[in-house]
């Protein structure tokens, strides 16, 4: 017998259904394919049933998204990169200039350090690893993401997680950690333990761009990666 999930999946609205549950106060946003003007009384994304249950739908929605003001300044939406069946999901903040130009997360200097961090625990970009960001569009001048932008992009991230179904999430940096865990606790207090994002274990570490400026904290990042690796190992053993 088909479960409720299967039925929604079949109808192509699986994640949207979940989004409605997950986001009772969904953003005043239009993630549709047309550049509709935003207004305070726009129905929330979930109410519009933007289908996000398949990768092609999600790609299309992100490519044409006008849900926040960033669509006016970005070159392109940057959905993510890697193995769509990955056990490991790394989530950063937002595309920077290089990512905005090339359409792939973490391709600049911070990306090279992220690749080295992956290699340190025996992982490689694209091989059982998927890399995404909280925001799919670049904030101009690499300023911090704003709350309305995070809210507008959250359905995409949730749909992405739903599609990948990773075993473990690593939040890269304060911003990703705080927005995923919906807390304003400092990163120093969030790292060093295993959190939950919905049902998934989530480990917090420093953002590679931060580590480039704060070399001594690389030792702490290494501890975080070891915690993530142990957590994954425990999942495999259980
Ligand atoms: N920083 C991020 O958080 N994400 C990227 O994709 C690049 C830099």
């Amino acid at each position: 017998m088909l479960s409720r999930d299967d039925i929604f999946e079949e109808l192509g609205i699986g994640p949207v259904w979940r989004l409605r549950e997950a986001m009772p106060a969904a953003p005043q946003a239009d993630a549709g394919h047309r550049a509709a003007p935003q207004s305070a009384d726009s129905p929330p994304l979930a109410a519009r049933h933007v289908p996000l249950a398949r990768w092609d739908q999600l790609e299309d929605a992100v490519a044409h998204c006008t849900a926040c003001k960033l669509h006016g300044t970005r070159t392109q939406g940057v959905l993510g990169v890697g193995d769509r069946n990955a056990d490991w999901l790394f989530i950063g903040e937002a595309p920077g200039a290089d990512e905005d130009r090339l359409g792939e997360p973490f391709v600049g200097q911070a990306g090279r350090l992220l690749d080295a961090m992956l290699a340190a625990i025996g992982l490689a970009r694209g091989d059982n690893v998927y890399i995404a960001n909280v925001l799919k569009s670049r904030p101009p001048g690499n300023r911090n993401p704003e709350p309305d932008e995070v809210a507008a992009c959250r359905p995409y991230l949730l749909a992405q997680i739903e599609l990948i179904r990773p075993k473990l999430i690593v939040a890269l940096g304060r911003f990703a950690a705080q927005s995923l865990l919906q807390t304003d606790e400092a990163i120093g207090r969030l790292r060093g333990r295993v959190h939950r994002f919905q049902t998934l274990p989530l480990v917090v570490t420093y953002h590679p761009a931060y580590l480039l400026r704060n070399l001594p904290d690389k030792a702490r990042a290494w501890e975080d990666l070891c915690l993530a690796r142990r957590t994954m190992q425990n999942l495999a053993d259980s």
Side-chain angles (χ1 to χ4, degrees):
M1 198 175 88
L2 287 176
S3 69
R4 184 166 68 157
D5 277 19
D6 293 331
I7 293 164
F8 278 96
E9 208 90 71
E10 203 58 40
L11 294 172
I13 56 173
V16 174
W17 161 71
R18 274 187 195 77
L19 296 178
R20 195 170 318 132
E21 280 195 344
M23 304 182 60
Q28 301 297 320
D30 170 26
H33 299 192
R34 286 163 299 282
Q38 285 192 59
S39 79
D41 48 9
S42 296
L45 178 63
R48 292 181 179 210
H49 285 276
V50 174
L52 300 174
R54 297 194 321 252
W55 279 106
D56 61 331
Q57 294 170 332
L58 182 56
E59 281 168 345
D60 197 47
V62 167
H64 297 94
C65 183
T66 58
C68 78
K69 56 193 170 299
L70 296 180
H71 80 274
T73 50
R74 72 175 184 201
T75 304
Q76 58 190 315
V78 181
L79 179 59
V81 67
D83 180 349
R84 291 178 169 184
N85 297 307
D87 290 339
W88 293 82
L89 173 59
F90 288 77
I91 302 180
E93 180 174 321
D98 293 325
E99 292 76 18
D100 178 64
R101 189 166 48 85
L102 297 170
E104 179 174 330
F106 284 99
V107 287
Q109 224 192 338
R112 284 191 286 284
L113 179 55
L114 176 59
D115 287 339
M117 291 163 74
L118 295 176
I121 52 167
L123 299 174
R125 178 185 295 242
D127 182 5
N128 203 19
V129 171
Y130 193 92
I131 303 170
N133 283 307
V134 171
L135 287 196
K136 310 306 183 197
S137 300
R138 180 193 182 207
N142 296 345
R143 65 157 168 75
N144 285 338
E146 293 174 359
D148 63 310
E149 296 158 0
V150 176
C153 243
R154 194 166 170 85
Y156 300 135
L157 185 61
L158 294 177
Q160 210 166 17
I161 294 170
E162 182 70 28
L163 283 164
I164 299 166
R165 296 193 177 231
K167 291 197 174 132
L168 184 133
I169 295 176
V170 179
L172 298 166
R174 173 184 71 88
F175 181 81
Q178 291 181 341
S179 35
L180 286 163
L181 297 171
Q182 314 230 289
T183 176
D184 53 12
E185 237 183 307
I187 186 161
R189 295 177 58 84
L190 292 171
R191 49 174 298 279
R193 58 199 159 105
V194 180
H195 303 266
R196 292 267 149 199
F197 178 82
Q198 297 170 353
T199 56
L200 297 172
L202 182 151
V203 171
V204 172
T205 192
Y206 292 111
H207 193 286
Y210 166 87
L211 291 172
L212 288 170
R213 300 188 305 270
N214 298 275
L215 295 181
D217 276 334
K218 276 190 178 175
R220 294 203 173 97
W222 170 241
E223 289 167 13
D224 301 332
L225 293 173
C226 290
L227 172 62
R229 190 173 53 180
R230 271 198 315 280
T231 307
M232 184 65 91
Q233 190 59 53
N234 291 342
L235 289 172
D237 292 345
S238 61

